[in-house]
Amino acid sequence: MTEGIRKILIIEDDEGLQRQYKWNFDNYDIIFAGDREQALDYINRYDLKVVLLDLGLPPDPDGTTEGFAILNEITQRQPNCKIIVASGHEARASAIKAISLGAYDFYQKPVDADEIRFMVERAFNLYDLEQENRLLQKQQKAPRLRGLISACDKMEKVCAVIERVAPTNVSVLLLGASGTGKELLAHSLHDLSERSEKPFVAINCGAIPENLIESELFGFEKGAFTGAHKQVKGKIEMAEGGTLFLDEIGDLPLAMQVKLLRFLQERIIERIGGRKEIAVDVRVVSATHQQLHNQSDGGVFQENQFREDLYYRLSEIVVNIPDLKDRDGDALLLAHSFLNKYANQYQKGAKTFDHKAVKAIGSYQWPGNVRELENRIKRAVIMSDNSKISFKDLQIDYDDGQNDVMNLKEIKQISEKSTIIKALAQSKGNISETARLLGISRPTFYGLLKQYNINIEK
Ligand SMILES: Nc1ncnc2c1ncn2[C@@H]1O[C@H](COP(=O)(O)OP(=O)(O)OP(=O)(O)O)[C@@H](O)[C@H]1O
Ligand SMILES: [Mg+2]
């Protein structure tokens, strides 16, 4: 969930007011609609969090028919959207009716810049909170694979493939960057199969020295080599009836690839130093973060690092696991889940994330994926004694461009800027008139425009 500039739809036909809103919401991405048709066009095109809606619009600018018709459309099509309704002095009753029909809040014209800014800010915050809550509830309702947390469509698809192929014996190759959950999914494939009562045996092909990997996989007989004091079964044999998980398969040395291929073709092994052929029934799941097979240029096949024939044996089904940054909303969902898990585990009491931590989690790129997220949260829970975890506790570089505490000078500047904007709106951008309203000279006024970076053209 990348946190960009907030988009707001303002449905208002009065150009003067549109100008004022532009100044008021200069840090928002504003889209204006002047009538119902244009409004509906935007409502169909964008997912909207907050809409400002003037009830009196052409062709009925003094009534409310257009406003209510739009309100009805938005509540039907985007029921989670926060709609703030604007009404004239005498139309308080209509505003209240709008609330009963699903609007979030209302204000009476003339517009007070500060009031409306706060109202909009609050609506966005509430929307974000509710959205987070919806994700959590969705997750609670649908735990598909044990221990796997996700609410995004991409992972839904991955889970659907896992569920479908789990009961079969096909070889599955899991492709995903470090920490994306390859091992977790390999476990799911096992748990959801008829082999679940039998062993799940994992071997990390990248972590075992080349000279030991053969004995790890195939085992050895007593006396096969110096130090072989007794017969030892290999991992393949240990997985009999169950699932063999070959992790980091891309690191398997070429000589071992040949031996593994032979096993996959014939389903028999010979222990080192043994003469007997032993039939083994295992289901093979493998995983790698490497691109073993590059469709466009033949990839590593050409460089002779990974055998093509082995690749095709292992990859009857290929599952691509997306990076965490590409799973909408999942980072936050996982973060909450890990927060609860570790707060319980370390008996730290109830913990939550503060507002900026939520934003930071949503915008950080998570190069180490779920593993990194889990580690950062675990560390924050252990290291912090506060009930609210901040982005600093998570040690994420995050800059929202705002300081927590405003000093008096900043408050004065904000109110000065907003007064200038109001005056500009009132005088429709006329410089002399605005300077007169503010009781200052034109040069002073120009100085202030420059200081506050106010663009009159806007
Ligand atoms: N969707 C998920 N929901 C909950 N926990 C997850 C999810 N994905 C991964 N995890 C957890 O994140 C950690 C890393 O996952 P896993 O070991 O399966 O990843 P991996 O792809 O095998 O990583 P690596 O390439 O580093 O070996 C584990 O603790 C796992 O339980
Ligand atoms: Mg792994």
Side-chain angles (χ1 to χ4, degrees):
M1 203 171 14
T2 322
E3 190 71 40
I5 300 176
R6 287 171 156 181
K7 186 189 283 299
I8 182 168
L9 170 62
I10 301 184
I11 307 170
E12 170 62 66
D13 58 317
D14 182 313
E15 285 179 8
L17 266 176
Q18 285 194 2
R19 255 198 310 277
Q20 182 173 345
Y21 283 133
K22 243 188 224 170
W23 284 314
N24 239 326
F25 295 112
D26 58 356
N27 51 343
Y28 286 76
D29 174 13
I30 310 182
I31 30 180
F32 284 111
D35 56 30
R36 174 160 23 154
E37 193 186 351
Q38 212 175 10
L40 291 185
D41 181 34
Y42 289 136
I43 293 159
N44 287 331
R45 240 190 295 163
Y46 300 111
D47 279 337
L48 296 161
K49 294 184 174 182
V50 177
V51 172
L52 280 191
L53 170 63
D54 178 23
L55 287 177
L57 291 166
D60 181 20
D62 299 321
T64 51
T65 48
E66 290 301 294
F68 278 115
I70 297 174
L71 178 68
N72 184 37
E73 291 287 346
I74 308 179
T75 51
Q76 299 272 327
R77 295 184 204 194
Q78 302 202 30
N80 302 325
C81 175
K82 301 274 164 248
I83 306 159
I84 300 173
V85 163
S87 69
H89 300 291
E90 56 306 317
R92 194 180 161 83
S94 315
I96 291 168
K97 181 176 160 202
I99 300 271
S100 74
L101 292 174
Y104 157 73
D105 208 343
F106 74 91
Y107 65 92
Q108 276 178 289
K109 291 179 182 177
V111 175
D112 178 281
D114 291 332
E115 190 187 337
I116 187 68
R117 247 203 322 269
F118 282 128
M119 205 180 260
V120 164
E121 178 80 24
R122 221 180 43 210
F124 271 105
N125 290 343
L126 184 66
Y127 180 95
D128 288 344
L129 261 179
E130 287 181 353
Q131 177 69 6
E132 213 180 288
N133 209 10
R134 276 191 289 276
L135 279 172
L136 286 170
Q137 279 180 354
K138 188 171 163 193
Q139 174 60 29
Q140 276 157 10
K141 265 191 242 142
R144 311 258 320 255
L145 306 183
R146 190 157 55 92
L148 187 132
I149 296 167
S150 173
C152 81
D153 293 347
K154 290 189 186 116
M155 282 305 284
E156 271 292 285
K157 288 190 184 123
V158 168
C159 294
V161 174
I162 299 284
E163 282 173 319
R164 185 165 281 261
V165 300
T168 72
N169 269 332
V170 296
S171 302
V172 179
L173 175 62
L174 302 167
L175 296 179
S178 162
T180 46
K182 298 184 289 294
E183 181 146 8
L184 188 70
L185 290 176
H187 270 286
S188 306
L189 281 167
H190 177 72
D191 292 345
L192 296 175
S193 76
E194 284 174 7
R195 298 170 174 269
S196 62
E197 300 295 312
K198 296 288 173 68
F200 173 91
V201 178
I203 177 166
N204 187 331
C205 306
I208 299 167
E210 199 167 334
N211 57 339
L212 293 184
I213 203 157
E214 182 173 6
S215 57
E216 276 288 313
L217 275 174
F218 294 94
F220 51 84
E221 295 291 350
K222 185 175 172 182
F225 45 81
T226 20
H229 300 303
K230 56 175 179 145
Q231 181 204 71
V232 170
K233 285 187 182 175
K235 297 264 171 152
I236 299 180
E237 221 181 315
M238 281 175 356
E240 170 60 34
T243 305
L244 176 70
F245 176 45
L246 301 166
D247 204 358
E248 298 306 346
I249 189 74
D251 293 336
L252 194 68
L254 269 174
M256 283 315 302
Q257 291 181 25
V258 179
K259 295 197 167 153
L260 180 64
L261 179 66
R262 182 171 164 242
F263 164 68
L264 293 175
Q265 285 165 340
E266 295 166 19
R267 299 286 167 166
I268 49 173
I269 57 151
E270 272 174 55
R271 300 188 193 122
I272 301 174
R275 303 237 172 82
K276 208 167 42 156
E277 291 187 333
I278 305 164
V280 185
D281 165 34
V282 292
R283 194 264 181 90
V284 176
V285 175
S286 45
T288 177
H289 66 280
Q290 300 177 29
Q291 193 71 38
L292 297 181
H293 176 236
N294 190 334
Q295 298 279 2
S296 57
D297 64 10
V300 274
F301 290 164
Q302 282 176 354
E303 292 161 29
N304 242 355
Q305 284 176 13
F306 205 84
R307 292 183 63 100
E308 192 167 353
D309 43 12
L310 177 60
Y311 176 84
Y312 288 114
R313 282 276 164 181
L314 294 173
S315 63
E316 288 173 322
I317 296 283
V318 177
V319 178
N320 285 294
I321 312 170
D323 287 348
L324 180 56
K325 67 172 186 319
D326 299 324
R327 303 183 201 171
D328 281 345
D330 270 10
L332 203 54
L333 193 62
L334 282 156
H336 276 108
S337 161
F338 290 136
L339 186 66
N340 289 336
K341 172 177 160 186
Y342 289 112
N344 272 332
Q345 187 168 323
Y346 296 108
Q347 302 184 348
K348 290 285 213 156
K351 286 197 185 280
T352 51
F353 296 109
D354 71 14
H355 186 58
K356 285 185 194 169
V358 168
K359 286 191 164 183
I361 290 167
S363 58
Y364 183 63
Q365 293 294 297
W366 300 110
N369 294 293
V370 185
R371 185 187 302 290
E372 177 185 2
L373 179 88
E374 183 167 8
N375 289 344
R376 280 186 191 269
I377 287 169
K378 185 171 168 184
R379 184 176 53 212
V381 169
I382 294 172
M383 300 306 288
S384 158
D385 287 325
N386 300 328
S387 67
K388 279 197 184 282
I389 299 285
S390 73
F391 72 94
K392 289 186 183 128
D393 294 325
L394 296 171
Q395 303 189 341
I396 297 178
D397 256 346
Y398 174 68
D399 180 13
D400 66 350
Q402 284 172 10
N403 291 322
D404 277 333
V405 184
M406 280 195 278
N407 58 31
L408 270 180
K409 190 169 154 217
E410 286 168 326
I411 292 170
K412 176 175 164 268
Q413 284 173 343
I414 289 171
S415 109
E416 206 163 60
K417 182 175 180 186
S418 119
T419 310
I420 295 170
I421 285 171
K422 264 190 239 171
L424 267 169
Q426 200 171 326
S427 57
K428 300 206 164 64
N430 181 308
I431 304 271
S432 317
E433 173 69 7
T434 316
R436 195 188 57 74
L437 277 173
L438 293 169
I440 53 178
S441 68
R442 279 174 60 116
T444 311
F445 180 59
Y446 276 118
L448 287 171
L449 288 182
K450 197 159 164 226
Q451 180 184 339
Y452 291 122
N453 206 2
I454 299 172
N455 180 359
I456 301 200
E457 309 293 296
K458 251 169 90 180

